[in-house]
Coordinates of all heavy atoms in Angstrom, one line a residue:
K127 N -32.2 -6.2 -106.7 CA -31.8 -6.3 -105.3 C -32.5 -7.5 -104.7 O -31.9 -8.3 -103.9 CB -32.2 -5.1 -104.5 CG -31.6 -3.8 -104.9 CD -32.1 -2.6 -104.1 CE -31.5 -1.3 -104.6 NZ -32.1 -0.1 -103.8
V128 N -33.8 -7.7 -105.1 CA -34.6 -8.8 -104.5 C -35.2 -9.5 -105.7 O -35.7 -9.0 -106.7 CB -35.8 -8.2 -103.7 CG1 -36.7 -9.4 -103.2 CG2 -35.2 -7.5 -102.5
F129 N -35.1 -10.9 -105.6 CA -35.8 -11.8 -106.5 C -37.0 -12.4 -105.8 O -36.8 -13.1 -104.8 CB -34.9 -12.8 -107.1 CG -35.6 -13.7 -108.1 CD1 -35.8 -13.3 -109.3 CD2 -35.9 -15.1 -107.7 CE1 -36.6 -14.2 -110.3 CE2 -36.5 -15.9 -108.6 CZ -36.9 -15.4 -109.9
H130 N -38.2 -12.3 -106.4 CA -39.4 -12.8 -105.7 C -40.1 -13.8 -106.6 O -40.1 -13.7 -107.8 CB -40.4 -11.6 -105.5 CG -41.7 -12.0 -105.0 ND1 -41.8 -12.5 -103.7 CD2 -42.9 -12.1 -105.5 CE1 -43.1 -12.9 -103.5 NE2 -43.8 -12.6 -104.6
F131 N -40.6 -14.8 -106.0 CA -41.3 -15.9 -106.7 C -42.4 -16.5 -105.8 O -42.4 -16.3 -104.6 CB -40.4 -16.9 -107.2 CG -39.9 -18.0 -106.1 CD1 -40.4 -19.2 -106.1 CD2 -39.0 -17.6 -105.2 CE1 -39.9 -20.2 -105.2 CE2 -38.5 -18.4 -104.2 CZ -39.1 -19.8 -104.2
L149 N -34.2 -19.5 -109.9 CA -33.8 -19.5 -108.5 C -32.3 -19.8 -108.3 O -31.6 -19.2 -107.5 CB -34.6 -20.6 -107.7 CG -36.1 -20.1 -107.4 CD1 -36.8 -21.3 -106.9 CD2 -36.1 -19.0 -106.4
A152 N -30.4 -16.8 -109.3 CA -30.5 -15.7 -108.3 C -29.7 -15.9 -107.1 O -29.0 -15.1 -106.5 CB -32.0 -15.5 -107.9
R153 N -29.6 -17.2 -106.7 CA -28.8 -17.5 -105.5 C -27.3 -17.4 -105.8 O -26.6 -16.9 -105.0 CB -29.1 -19.0 -105.0 CG -28.4 -19.3 -103.7 CD -29.0 -20.5 -103.0 NE -28.9 -21.7 -103.7 CZ -29.4 -22.9 -103.3 NH1 -30.0 -23.0 -102.1 NH2 -29.2 -24.0 -104.0
E154 N -26.9 -17.8 -106.9 CA -25.5 -17.7 -107.4 C -25.1 -16.3 -107.4 O -24.0 -15.9 -107.0 CB -25.3 -18.4 -108.7 CG -25.3 -19.8 -108.7 CD -25.3 -20.4 -110.2 OE1 -25.1 -19.5 -111.1 OE2 -25.5 -21.6 -110.3
K155 N -26.0 -15.4 -107.8 CA -25.7 -13.9 -107.9 C -25.9 -13.2 -106.5 O -25.7 -12.0 -106.4 CB -26.6 -13.3 -108.9 CG -26.3 -13.8 -110.3 CD -25.0 -13.4 -110.8 CE -24.7 -13.9 -112.2 NZ -23.3 -13.5 -112.7
G156 N -26.2 -13.9 -105.5 CA -26.4 -13.4 -104.1 C -27.5 -12.4 -103.9 O -27.5 -11.6 -103.1
K157 N -28.6 -12.7 -104.6 CA -29.8 -11.9 -104.5 C -30.6 -12.2 -103.2 O -30.6 -13.4 -102.8 CB -30.7 -12.0 -105.8 CG -30.0 -11.7 -107.0 CD -29.5 -10.3 -107.1 CE -28.7 -9.9 -108.3 NZ -28.1 -8.6 -108.4
I158 N -31.2 -11.3 -102.7 CA -32.2 -11.6 -101.6 C -33.4 -12.3 -102.3 O -33.9 -11.8 -103.2 CB -32.7 -10.3 -100.8 CG1 -31.6 -9.7 -100.2 CG2 -33.9 -10.7 -99.9 CD1 -31.9 -8.3 -99.6
I159 N -33.9 -13.4 -101.8 CA -34.9 -14.2 -102.5 C -36.1 -14.2 -101.5 O -36.0 -14.6 -100.3 CB -34.5 -15.6 -102.8 CG1 -33.3 -15.5 -103.8 CG2 -35.7 -16.4 -103.4 CD1 -32.8 -16.9 -104.2
T160 N -37.2 -13.7 -102.0 CA -38.5 -13.7 -101.2 C -39.5 -14.7 -101.8 O -39.6 -14.8 -103.1 CB -39.1 -12.4 -101.1 OG1 -39.4 -11.8 -102.5 CG2 -38.1 -11.4 -100.4
Y161 N -40.3 -15.4 -101.0 CA -41.1 -16.5 -101.5 C -42.5 -16.4 -100.8 O -42.6 -16.3 -99.6 CB -40.4 -17.8 -101.1 CG -41.1 -19.1 -101.4 CD1 -41.9 -19.2 -102.6 CD2 -41.0 -20.2 -100.6 CE1 -42.5 -20.4 -102.9 CE2 -41.6 -21.4 -100.9 CZ -42.4 -21.5 -102.0 OH -42.9 -22.7 -102.3
D162 N -43.5 -16.6 -101.6 CA -44.9 -16.8 -101.2 C -45.4 -18.1 -101.7 O -45.7 -18.2 -102.9 CB -45.7 -15.6 -101.7 CG -47.2 -15.7 -101.3 OD1 -47.6 -16.7 -100.6 OD2 -48.0 -14.9 -101.7
G183 N -39.3 -24.8 -102.8 CA -39.0 -23.4 -102.8 C -38.3 -22.8 -101.5 O -37.6 -21.9 -101.5
L184 N -38.6 -23.5 -100.4 CA -38.0 -23.1 -99.1 C -36.5 -23.1 -99.1 O -35.9 -22.4 -98.4 CB -38.6 -24.0 -98.0 CG -40.0 -23.8 -97.5 CD1 -40.4 -24.8 -96.4 CD2 -40.2 -22.3 -97.0
Q185 N -35.9 -24.0 -99.9 CA -34.5 -24.1 -100.0 C -33.8 -22.9 -100.4 O -32.6 -22.7 -100.1 CB -34.1 -25.2 -100.9 CG -34.7 -26.6 -100.7 CD -34.3 -27.6 -101.8 OE1 -33.2 -27.7 -102.2 NE2 -35.3 -28.4 -102.2
Y186 N -34.6 -22.0 -101.1 CA -34.0 -20.8 -101.6 C -34.4 -19.5 -100.9 O -33.8 -18.5 -101.1 CB -34.3 -20.7 -103.2 CG -33.8 -21.8 -104.0 CD1 -34.5 -23.0 -104.1 CD2 -32.6 -21.7 -104.6 CE1 -34.0 -24.0 -104.9 CE2 -32.1 -22.7 -105.4 CZ -32.8 -23.9 -105.6 OH -32.3 -24.9 -106.3
A187 N -35.4 -19.6 -100.1 CA -36.0 -18.4 -99.5 C -35.2 -17.8 -98.4 O -34.8 -18.5 -97.5 CB -37.4 -18.8 -99.1
D188 N -35.0 -16.5 -98.5 CA -34.4 -15.7 -97.4 C -35.6 -15.2 -96.6 O -35.5 -15.1 -95.3 CB -33.5 -14.6 -97.9 CG -32.4 -15.0 -98.7 OD1 -31.6 -15.7 -98.0 OD2 -32.2 -14.6 -99.8
V189 N -36.7 -14.8 -97.2 CA -37.8 -14.2 -96.6 C -39.1 -15.0 -97.1 O -39.3 -15.2 -98.3 CB -38.0 -12.7 -97.0 CG1 -39.2 -12.1 -96.2 CG2 -36.7 -12.0 -96.6
L190 N -39.9 -15.4 -96.1 CA -41.0 -16.3 -96.4 C -42.3 -15.6 -95.8 O -42.3 -15.2 -94.7 CB -40.9 -17.7 -95.8 CG -42.1 -18.6 -95.9 CD1 -42.2 -19.1 -97.3 CD2 -41.8 -19.8 -94.9
K191 N -43.4 -15.5 -96.7 CA -44.7 -15.1 -96.2 C -45.7 -16.2 -96.4 O -45.8 -16.8 -97.5 CB -45.2 -13.9 -97.0 CG -46.4 -13.2 -96.4 CD -47.7 -13.8 -96.9 CE -48.0 -13.5 -98.3 NZ -49.3 -14.1 -98.8
F213 N -39.5 -23.2 -90.0 CA -39.0 -22.6 -91.3 C -37.6 -22.1 -91.1 O -36.8 -22.1 -92.0 CB -40.0 -21.5 -91.7 CG -41.3 -22.0 -92.2 CD1 -42.5 -21.4 -91.8 CD2 -41.4 -23.0 -93.1 CE1 -43.7 -21.8 -92.3 CE2 -42.6 -23.5 -93.6 CZ -43.7 -22.8 -93.2
L214 N -37.3 -21.4 -89.9 CA -36.0 -20.9 -89.7 C -35.0 -22.0 -89.7 O -33.8 -21.9 -90.2 CB -35.9 -20.1 -88.4 CG -35.9 -18.6 -88.6 CD1 -37.2 -18.1 -89.2 CD2 -35.7 -17.9 -87.2
C216 N -35.0 -24.4 -91.6 CA -34.8 -24.7 -93.0 C -33.8 -23.8 -93.7 O -33.5 -24.0 -94.9 CB -36.1 -24.8 -93.8 SG -37.2 -26.1 -93.3
G217 N -33.5 -22.7 -93.0 CA -32.6 -21.7 -93.6 C -33.2 -20.4 -93.9 O -32.5 -19.4 -94.3
V218 N -34.5 -20.2 -93.7 CA -35.2 -19.0 -94.0 C -34.7 -18.0 -92.9 O -34.7 -18.4 -91.7 CB -36.7 -19.2 -94.0 CG1 -37.4 -17.8 -94.1 CG2 -37.2 -20.1 -95.0
K219 N -34.5 -16.8 -93.2 CA -34.1 -15.8 -92.3 C -35.2 -15.0 -91.6 O -35.1 -14.6 -90.5 CB -33.1 -14.8 -93.0 CG -31.8 -15.5 -93.5 CD -30.9 -14.5 -94.2 CE -29.7 -15.2 -94.8 NZ -30.0 -16.2 -95.9
I220 N -36.3 -14.7 -92.4 CA -37.4 -13.9 -91.9 C -38.6 -14.7 -92.3 O -38.8 -15.0 -93.5 CB -37.4 -12.5 -92.5 CG1 -36.2 -11.7 -91.9 CG2 -38.7 -11.8 -92.1 CD1 -36.0 -10.3 -92.6
V221 N -39.6 -14.9 -91.4 CA -40.9 -15.5 -91.6 C -42.0 -14.5 -91.1 O -41.9 -14.0 -90.0 CB -41.0 -16.8 -90.9 CG1 -42.4 -17.4 -91.2 CG2 -39.9 -17.8 -91.3
V222 N -43.0 -14.2 -92.0 CA -44.1 -13.5 -91.6 C -45.3 -14.4 -91.9 O -45.4 -15.0 -93.0 CB -44.3 -12.2 -92.3 CG1 -43.3 -11.2 -91.7 CG2 -44.0 -12.3 -93.8
R233 N -41.2 -13.6 -87.3 CA -40.0 -14.3 -86.6 C -38.8 -14.0 -87.4 O -38.7 -14.1 -88.6 CB -40.3 -15.8 -86.5 CG -39.1 -16.6 -85.9 CD -39.4 -18.1 -85.7 NE -40.3 -18.3 -84.7 CZ -40.0 -18.3 -83.4 NH1 -38.8 -18.1 -83.0 NH2 -40.9 -18.6 -82.5
C234 N -37.7 -13.8 -86.7 CA -36.3 -13.8 -87.2 C -35.4 -14.5 -86.2 O -35.9 -15.0 -85.2 CB -35.9 -12.3 -87.5 SG -35.9 -11.3 -86.0
A235 N -34.1 -14.6 -86.5 CA -33.2 -15.3 -85.6 C -33.2 -14.8 -84.2 O -33.0 -15.5 -83.2 CB -31.8 -15.3 -86.3
F259 N -47.2 -8.3 -98.5 CA -45.9 -8.8 -98.7 C -45.2 -7.8 -99.6 O -43.9 -7.6 -99.4 CB -45.9 -10.2 -99.4 CG -44.7 -11.0 -99.2 CD1 -43.8 -10.7 -98.2 CD2 -44.4 -12.1 -100.0 CE1 -42.6 -11.5 -98.0 CE2 -43.3 -12.8 -99.9 CZ -42.4 -12.6 -98.8
I263 N -41.6 -6.3 -98.6 CA -40.4 -6.5 -99.5 C -39.8 -5.1 -99.8 O -38.6 -5.0 -99.9 CB -40.8 -7.3 -100.8 CG1 -41.2 -8.7 -100.4 CG2 -39.7 -7.3 -101.8 CD1 -41.8 -9.5 -101.5
L266 N -37.7 -4.1 -97.0 CA -36.5 -4.9 -97.0 C -35.5 -4.6 -98.0 O -34.3 -4.7 -97.8 CB -36.9 -6.5 -97.0 CG -37.6 -7.0 -95.7 CD1 -38.2 -8.3 -96.0 CD2 -36.6 -7.0 -94.6
A272 N -27.7 -6.9 -92.6 CA -27.8 -8.3 -93.0 C -29.1 -8.9 -92.5 O -29.5 -8.7 -91.3 CB -26.6 -9.1 -92.4
L273 N -29.9 -9.5 -93.4 CA -31.2 -10.0 -92.9 C -31.1 -11.0 -91.8 O -31.9 -11.0 -90.9 CB -31.9 -10.7 -94.1 CG -32.3 -9.8 -95.3 CD1 -33.1 -10.6 -96.3 CD2 -33.1 -8.6 -94.8
A274 N -30.0 -11.8 -91.8 CA -29.8 -12.8 -90.7 C -29.6 -12.1 -89.3 O -29.9 -12.7 -88.3 CB -28.6 -13.6 -91.0
I276 N -31.2 -9.0 -88.5 CA -32.3 -8.1 -88.3 C -32.8 -8.2 -86.9 O -33.0 -9.3 -86.4 CB -33.4 -8.2 -89.3 CG1 -34.2 -6.9 -89.3 CG2 -34.2 -9.4 -89.2 CD1 -35.2 -6.8 -90.5
L281 N -38.1 -5.5 -87.5 CA -39.0 -6.3 -88.3 C -40.5 -6.0 -87.9 O -41.4 -5.9 -88.8 CB -38.8 -7.8 -88.1 CG -39.5 -8.8 -88.9 CD1 -39.3 -8.6 -90.4 CD2 -39.0 -10.2 -88.5

Side-chain angles (χ1 to χ4, degrees):
K127 296 178 186 177
V128 176
F129 179 74
H130 175 71
F131 77 108
L149 284 171
R153 184 161 67 178
E154 288 173 6
K155 295 296 181 178
K157 305 301 179 181
I158 296 171
I159 299 178
T160 58
Y161 176 39
D162 178 2
L184 286 178
Q185 302 175 46
Y186 296 87
D188 296 303
V189 183
L190 174 71
K191 191 274 289 183
F213 289 135
L214 256 64
C216 295
V218 179
K219 298 178 180 67
I220 293 172
V221 179
V222 285
R233 176 179 287 281
C234 59
F259 204 19
I263 293 170
L266 289 168
L273 294 187
I276 194 169
L281 188 55

